[in-house]
Structures are given as structure tokens and as C-alpha cells.
Amino acid sequence: MSEKMQAYIDEAESVLLHTYNRYQIVLDHGKGVHLYDMDGKEYLDFVSGIAVFALGYGNEEYNQALKDQIDKVIHTSNYYYNAPAIEAAKKIKEVSGMDRVFFTNSGAEAVEGAIKAARKYAYLKDGSTDHEIIAMNHSFHGRTMGALSVTGNPHYREAFEPMIGNIRFADFNDLESVKAQITDKTCAIMFETVQGEGGIYPVHEDFLRGVRKICDEKDILLILDEIQCGMGRTGYMYAWQKYGVKPDIMTTAKALGCGVPVGAFLLNEKVGAASLVAGDHGTTYGGNPLACAAICKVMELFEKEHVLDNVREVSAYLEEKLDEIAESCEDIETRRGSGLMQGLVFKKPVGEIITKALDHGLILINAGTNIIRFVPPLIISKQDVDAMIAILKECI
Ligand SMILES: *Cc1c(COP(=O)(O)O)cnc(C)c1O
């Protein structure tokens, strides 16, 4: 490592709050599926900023769209209309089949909005303020207090108790476990369609259908968190579309702006018409013209570059190659995942392999201590998969 890069890292540790154990590189710029550090070293990126940079780095059309919007206006506040937000909302509605859009600045904020919409919907029905939400063990929904309250990982929550009240936890993909938590106060059941941080667990179709049925029978709202698994990652624009089981409320973020911080929560007409109204919820930045110009261009490029087709084709190849490694390596338990959201489950911690990969010019990330997570840009090719596999084999 150059002295310059080391100096930057030392400086970072003296000014930034140490909430991350960062890898020892300073990233400088990117091109396609590659990132480059300050010393000019190239890395093949199989993380994409944690499932964010779906279109790869340095996409000229995307960059130009942002530059154009910057020259027009970046921010106006939500007291006025702006064309990019209207276009972005129309597009999201079209690809999701949901009816109402509220833009946020992050995933966690989208989760906050989803919780508020669900509580308000229930409140308007019976006027009571003790409704319950069922969330899943091993879930991850973000770091703000509301999102943390529905995150099923005590390790993230403990020091920050008390959480918001009336949250019950059930086991993901276990319908009986969910049923056991339902009371006459239940207003929503929420989960990630593919659990990400918790270990790359795709939802089982019968579980999803089973929960939807219970929700329909009892007028409980189904909230799906598509922040990581949405936006094409599974080969469907939103992961639930594979099963046609539609949520009442949905969250989206990460790849939505492909790097510009933006998220959204979406409501179906039933919830949209009977929950949040003027004065109930707001945000200064959410859905500003710059963020929404990014969304518009992302949506356009997804279509133009046939991103979903690429995900389906390349993910089948990635699965095949990861399965080969899993079979040939004693330390690996299994491979699981959906589309370009894959996990290689080891019998031991994977930190060392990830650090080694970085030395070899490959960016990987874990999901929990024993799982290597693969969430590359959605534009990767089979050759990129081959290049990744070759480095990974060396590091294992
Ligand atoms: C990343 C993530 C969040 C939180 O998003 P932030 O933008 O980090 O606040 C919420 N839910 C899921 C499933 C995520 O993967």
C-alpha cells in the first residue's frame, strides 16, 4: 500500500466515528464492474456497494442525466411538484403494480414509513393505539429505531432498548410460527422476500401464499421489504413477482437510485386510501429532483439494457459455478439464494477469505460470520463470473 493511501486510512480513523471495521483500501473510482483504489489497483466488484450499483460504474447515460438535473435544480422541497418525481413515481407504479408512492432518502426510512402507514390504517379502523406487528427472526430492516424494532437480531438492538412497542417475532418460512403470534391486535406481518443480512434465505412460496391468505382473511397488512432483493436482483423487478403474491405495502431502496441515496415505500389502493394523509408524514429531501432523475434513468436503462434478462441468464451460470465449488470444498455447507443474490455457506468464519480476495483484486462481502454474499452489479457477464470464481478458488 502506498504511504498516501495509508495516511488517508489513518486520518479516517481519527475523524470518522468507528462504527465499521473497514477493509484497508481507499476506493477512488469505478468503471463497469471494476473499482480502483487510490493506488490504481483494480478490483472486480461482487458487492456493488451492497446491492446498490446495479448498472455498474461510470454509465455515461446515467451520469449525464444527473449532470443535466444538477444544472436545472437539485432540490425544491415537497411543498411543490417537480417533474422528475412525478415521472419516477409513474415508473415505479408501472413496474411494481403498487398504487401510491412515498419517496424517502434511505431504506430504513422507507421501513419507518411502511410501519407508520400500517399503524395508521389499523388506527382508522378501530381507533385503538395498541396494534401489533409480526416481524421475523434473523430479519434486517435498517438501523433507525423503528426499523431496528422490527429487525430480528437481538445483537443489533440490545444496547438501544427500549424499542418501539408491540412487535412480535416469528420464524421466517414457518407458517405455524407466524400463526402462533397472531392476535386480534395484529395489524401487519412483515418480512424480506429474500432475507439478506440474515443469511440469504429466499422466501418459500407456500409460506408467502400462506401469510397472504391469513392477511386477506383477517384484514392484516402484508409488508414486503424489497430493499435488497428488489430492483431486478432476483431476475424479477420485485422478488414477489415471481409468485404473483402481492403485498399491501412494499419498501424499495438500494438499487432504486443506483448510488443516489433514495428509497420509497409503496402502498396498494386499499392502504393508500385509508392511512397516511396530509400532515401525517413528511421528509425534507425525500423524492427531490436529483434523486428522482436518477430513478427515471435507472428505470429507463433497466429496460434498454435488458437487465432482467441478463440477471436470469448470468445468475443461472453463477449458481452452477458456485454449486461446483460447494461440492468440491469440504469447508462449504451449501449454496443458496435467488438470482444475483447468492450466499455460499461455510462451516467456519469467512472473514479471512474475504480479506484474501481483496488482496487478489476481488471485492466480496459476508452476510453473517459464515456466509460469503454475492450481490454483483446486475450487468455482469459470464466472463466476470469466471474471473470471480478463479480468484475465489485460490482464496479458499
Ligand atoms: C439495507 C437494507 C435496509 C436498510 O436500508 P438503508 O438504506 O441502509 O437504511 C432495510 N432492509 C433491507 C432488507 C436491507 O437490505
Side-chain angles (χ1 to χ4, degrees):
M1 183 190 309
S2 68
E3 273 176 33
K4 188 176 159 205
M5 191 149 93
Q6 186 62 57
Y8 261 104
I9 291 172
D10 293 344
E11 222 159 27
E13 290 306 326
S14 74
V15 290
L16 295 174
L17 188 64
H18 190 91
T19 52
Y20 282 92
N21 290 318
R22 292 174 218 266
Y23 294 100
Q24 297 297 299
I25 52 173
V26 182
L27 291 170
D28 184 68
H29 63 281
K31 186 81 200 147
V33 296
H34 293 98
L35 281 166
Y36 299 83
D37 70 18
M38 282 184 67
D39 297 344
K41 180 173 167 181
E42 182 181 271
Y43 301 86
L44 176 59
D45 180 19
F46 263 67
V47 176
S48 58
I50 315 187
V52 169
F53 236 110
L55 296 169
Y57 303 98
N59 183 298
E60 274 175 30
E61 241 187 270
Y62 171 84
N63 290 358
Q64 194 56 51
L66 292 188
K67 288 172 195 168
D68 291 346
Q69 188 58 47
I70 286 170
D71 287 338
K72 275 183 165 174
V73 64
I74 294 174
H75 180 79
T76 57
S77 109
N78 279 308
Y79 282 103
Y80 316 96
Y81 300 98
N82 74 75
I86 297 161
E87 291 302 325
K90 267 167 48 186
K91 208 62 215 176
I92 292 176
K93 184 176 156 151
E94 185 190 314
V95 299
S96 69
M98 301 297 286
D99 298 300
R100 296 280 166 179
V101 182
F102 184 101
F103 290 113
T104 65
N105 310 289
S106 68
E109 279 176 63
V111 171
E112 297 289 330
I115 293 171
K116 282 181 73 173
R119 280 188 167 181
K120 181 75 192 289
Y121 177 84
Y123 171 79
L124 288 177
K125 271 199 308 185
D126 68 9
S128 71
T129 53
D130 55 355
H131 296 105
E132 297 170 353
I133 294 174
I134 300 174
M136 302 298 140
N137 292 316
H138 305 295
S139 63
F140 181 84
H141 297 292
R143 302 293 196 145
T144 54
M145 290 306 294
L148 208 50
S149 300
V150 288
T151 289
N153 183 339
H155 172 72
Y156 289 153
R157 295 205 313 262
E158 193 176 78
F160 311 102
E161 300 277 353
M163 297 286 112
I164 67 166
N166 293 19
I167 309 294
R168 290 166 170 264
F169 286 95
D171 290 332
F172 187 50
N173 282 333
D174 180 345
L175 197 58
E176 290 311 312
S177 162
V178 170
K179 281 182 184 163
Q181 295 302 327
I182 291 175
T183 73
D184 55 4
K185 294 291 178 192
T186 308
C187 72
I189 300 173
M190 75 182 292
F191 48 87
E192 302 150 78
T193 321
V194 182
Q195 281 195 339
E197 309 295 315
I200 318 290
Y201 288 97
V203 73
H204 296 164
E205 182 171 0
D206 53 350
F207 177 78
L208 183 59
R209 288 193 189 287
V211 172
R212 180 69 269 178
K213 187 158 171 278
I214 293 169
C215 288
D216 289 340
E217 284 164 7
K218 298 181 185 288
D219 197 20
I220 293 169
L221 302 177
L222 173 60
I223 305 175
L224 291 181
D225 183 343
E226 290 262 350
I227 290 169
Q228 188 162 162
C229 62
M231 287 304 291
R233 187 145 294 277
T234 65
Y236 294 82
M237 203 57 184
Y238 288 104
W240 59 262
Q241 290 169 336
K242 179 174 179 184
Y243 310 106
V245 178
K246 202 172 155 184
D248 300 292
I249 302 177
M250 194 191 104
T251 56
T252 176
K254 289 202 163 88
L256 181 62
C258 276
V260 172
V262 65
F265 64 91
L266 320 178
L267 309 177
N268 65 10
E269 198 55 55
K270 177 177 90 167
V271 183
S275 59
L276 302 173
V277 295
D280 275 345
H281 197 53
T283 163
T284 299
Y285 286 135
N288 85 11
L290 180 66
C292 288
I295 297 173
C296 290
K297 188 49 83 173
V298 167
M299 294 289 181
E300 190 190 318
L301 289 171
F302 260 63
E303 275 176 34
K304 207 167 100 179
E305 299 185 359
H306 307 289
V307 168
L308 295 186
D309 293 340
N310 189 62
V311 171
R312 287 176 196 188
E313 195 184 326
V314 178
S315 65
Y317 188 68
L318 175 63
E319 286 185 359
E320 189 188 310
K321 292 290 157 186
L322 289 177
D323 282 341
E324 276 174 27
I325 291 192
E327 266 164 43
S328 66
C329 177
E330 266 188 17
D331 288 337
I332 299 174
E333 209 169 279
T334 187
R335 189 257 336 146
R336 64 170 172 255
S338 180
L340 289 178
M341 184 172 177
Q342 296 288 337
L344 211 44
V345 185
F346 283 69
K347 293 170 187 159
K348 57 172 197 185
V350 295
E352 210 178 310
I353 299 173
I354 292 175
T355 306
K356 223 185 216 175
L358 212 52
D359 284 344
H360 286 70
L362 169 64
I363 295 185
L364 293 173
I365 198 169
N366 61 311
T369 35
N370 289 3
I371 301 167
I372 298 180
R373 169 171 30 170
F374 303 86
V375 283
L378 303 183
I379 54 151
I380 58 159
S381 64
K382 289 181 183 172
Q383 289 90 314
D384 297 324
V385 171
D386 287 338
M388 182 279 287
I389 292 287
I391 301 175
L392 182 63
K393 273 184 179 161
E394 253 180 81
C395 298
I396 295 173

